[in-house]
Amino acid sequence: MSIILLILFIFISYVFLNYIKKFKNYGPKSLKGPIPLPIFGNLLSLLPLPHIPLTKYHETYGPVYRIWMGDKYTVSVNDIDIAKKIFIKNADCFMEHPETPTFKFYSCNYSNLVMGRGQNWKQRRDLVARSITKTKIKHIYTNLDQQLDGLLNCMDYHVKSGLPFTPRGNFSRFTMNNMLKLVMNDEIPYDHQGKSQGPMKDLIHQCEVLFTNLGSGNIGDFIDLLKPFLSIYYKLTNSCLPKILDIVGKVLQKHVDTFKEEYKSNPRDLFDVMLVEYDFDPLKYITIILIACDLLFAGSDTVAGSLEWANIFLCNYPEYQEKVYSELLCVVGKDRKVALSDRISTPFLNAFIKESSRFKTIGPFNIPRNCSQDIEIDDYFIPKDSQVILNFSGIAANTKYWDNPQVFDPTRHLEKNQEFSLFGYGQRQCVGSNFGQDELYLSLSNMILKYKFSSHDGNLINESEAFGLTLHPATIFKLKLEHR
Ligand code: HEM
């Protein structure tokens, strides 16, 4: 009995002291924020769609405020100028991500690029940034073009058969294939009905499981008492990561076995580039596999989700669809496909894409960064070891930048060229931003030039959001496609 009382006493004292800590005053530049609860801090107020309360808090506490995510002091930044001061001007202070059981487990102890740290990260980042260009991998855009043909063929099938077209699944396979081609010169073949086939099919399935695991968030990452249990839980239960590493590892081994001298100057893909860079050192294979996985994860769901949202807006705002189509018809005509060089001549389509990404921010936040020392930025004090979130959804709704931000209106970008990027700022901003934007432009423009989009039942498509690894449409919607 006395042992139980003792444990209870220790627990209550811990909770009490822990709670007091949450009210520490950092002086006149202390950040304001909502009152936290014991243990959970403000976590419960963030459910189920954290970007909504995080954007609302801005109205009460200003563009930079603090919340407690469990035991983690978190700074939410909703202003572009301050974001730049943090992530560009004071980059050294905000370079790493916070250490959490989830980040640690899924990065195999920070051995990948996305979670990499210090010099290791710099070296991996430099390698990937140099590689995903057409100077290094020469056929990178030919591959993209072929994948686009595959997607358009699939859409053709739906036009001819009169069957409704489901963007979810078809767009994820398209973007996943672009990454598979880029990284390991592989792809998931599919029949016209959109069903995946072949050995890589299992990879897509395992990635979906992993996206769900990562996207659901885990309270054990934020509450110190739970962290050790979460680490143990991952070790005991999670089997999709080893499966993914196994599938990707086998493809890497095949690359090693089939490598030819000529691939040094004309690599088949990123695997070849990395094998040469690391001098075929088997100790580096795990890093190569993990970087490959980074690109598969970071580069597929983001672009696929952006395409889904853009399709919804084409259907729900048919007047803008007609304007984009007329512009493309005038610039490109019907005898060829849209090319990247047309981008400069399609301001309305560019504005439509920008508005689509502002209206539904596919990645509502950057990957949180850890602050490595106490620092003052303008009127804001950010304490050491707090985590900093760049709230893209908050910036997208900030009336400092946009009139009537709740209205979908591409013309706003023609009237005023307001800077807006979902790719982050500074050295650690998205390494695939150029490729991702090219992928989005090419696929969307060619779809619009070829097909008229509407919802399959004639109703407006539901625009509500589901929060996961990305902020994607909550419902799996279907489209009616007609040839233009
Ligand atoms: C619409 C498309 C995309 C969006 C919105 C997006 C957004 C982001 C964001 C917000 C970050 C974190 C930046 C930060 O912390 O400051 C990031 C990082 C990253 N993204 Fe993207 N991304 C997209 C497409 C892609 C593509 C196509 C690739 C691969 C080719 C890619 C690969 C990566 C990688 C590897 C990182 C980690 C970079 C590092 O830590 O050095 N992303 N992305």
Side-chain angles (χ1 to χ4, degrees), residues 177-389:
N177 271 351
N178 286 330
M179 286 301 108
L180 284 171
K181 272 282 178 192
L182 171 69
V183 174
M184 53 185 89
N185 197 24
D186 213 324
E187 66 185 315
I188 301 162
Y190 50 98
D191 64 20
H192 288 312
Q193 292 176 41
K195 293 202 182 82
S196 303
Q197 296 168 342
M200 281 288 142
K201 191 175 127 187
D202 196 31
L203 181 64
I204 272 221
H205 171 67
Q206 296 303 335
C207 286
E208 277 165 2
V209 178
L210 186 136
F211 289 166
T212 314
N213 289 354
L214 278 176
S216 55
N218 208 312
I219 197 162
D221 281 324
F222 305 110
I223 296 177
D224 293 341
L225 268 181
L226 298 179
K227 282 184 179 172
F229 298 103
L230 182 58
S231 302
I232 295 168
Y233 168 80
Y234 279 140
K235 278 185 194 135
L236 293 180
T237 62
N238 208 298
S239 59
C240 69
L241 185 65
K243 279 186 193 150
I244 292 173
L245 298 183
D246 184 54
I247 297 171
V248 178
K250 283 185 180 138
V251 184
L252 178 65
Q253 189 55 51
K254 217 168 146 192
H255 269 64
V256 177
D257 298 341
T258 55
F259 192 85
K260 293 183 187 154
E261 196 56 27
E262 69 198 63
Y263 298 151
K264 284 190 176 164
S265 56
N266 190 9
R268 291 167 287 183
D269 47 37
L270 189 62
F271 266 178
D272 280 353
V273 180
M274 292 196 283
L275 281 169
V276 172
E277 176 85 13
Y278 289 127
D279 210 11
F280 289 83
D281 177 357
L283 292 176
K284 291 287 183 189
Y285 287 1
I286 186 66
T287 302
I288 297 181
I289 293 168
L290 288 168
I291 293 178
C293 292
D294 281 342
L295 296 199
L296 297 184
F297 304 153
S300 55
D301 224 25
T302 42
V303 181
S306 307
L307 278 172
E308 275 194 50
W309 283 120
N311 270 212
I312 292 182
F313 301 136
L314 288 173
C315 296
N316 287 357
Y317 303 90
E319 66 281 17
Y320 295 137
Q321 181 180 170
E322 287 315 304
K323 271 192 107 165
V324 177
Y325 172 68
S326 308
E327 182 183 74
L328 282 168
L329 192 62
C330 180
V331 173
V332 181
K334 287 300 253 179
D335 298 334
R336 66 171 177 93
K337 279 168 74 181
V338 188
L340 286 175
S341 52
D342 292 315
R343 185 147 51 192
I344 195 163
S345 316
T346 57
F348 196 80
L349 170 58
N350 302 341
F352 179 87
I353 294 176
K354 197 169 170 185
E355 180 65 352
S356 185
S357 67
R358 183 199 70 82
F359 203 61
K360 296 289 179 183
T361 46
I362 187 70
F365 317 116
N366 68 340
I367 307 168
R369 302 283 186 82
N370 195 61
C371 175
S372 64
Q373 63 180 66
D374 285 351
I375 185 166
E376 272 179 25
I377 292 178
D378 287 0
D379 288 335
Y380 309 106
F381 176 80
I382 304 179
K384 182 172 189 275
D385 280 336
S386 49
Q387 68 172 355
V388 180
I389 291 178

Side-chain angles (χ1 to χ4, degrees), residues 87 97 113-116 121 125 128 132 179 182 294-295 298-300 302-303 306 362-363 365-369 390 392 422-425 427-433 435-437 439-440:
F87 296 112
H97 303 295
L113 166 63
V114 177
M115 288 301 144
W121 165 74
R125 166 83 191 203
V128 172
I132 50 177
M179 286 301 108
L182 171 69
D294 281 342
L295 296 199
S300 55
T302 42
V303 181
S306 307
I362 187 70
F365 317 116
N366 68 340
I367 307 168
R369 302 283 186 82
L390 175 54
F392 295 116
L422 285 182
F423 297 100
Y425 299 100
Q427 297 172 44
R428 205 144 193 173
Q429 66 176 219
C430 177
V431 75
S433 62
F435 188 77
Q437 288 178 89
E439 211 181 338
L440 198 56

Side-chain angles (χ1 to χ4, degrees), residues 84-97 118-119 121-122 369-373 375 377 426-428:
K84 285 183 174 172
K85 285 184 186 164
I86 292 177
F87 296 112
I88 300 177
K89 207 166 159 207
N90 292 287
D92 288 348
C93 255
F94 299 94
M95 200 56 91
E96 317 282 12
H97 303 295
Q119 277 308 315
W121 165 74
K122 271 203 166 73
R369 302 283 186 82
N370 195 61
C371 175
S372 64
Q373 63 180 66
I375 185 166
I377 292 178
Q427 297 172 44
R428 205 144 193 173

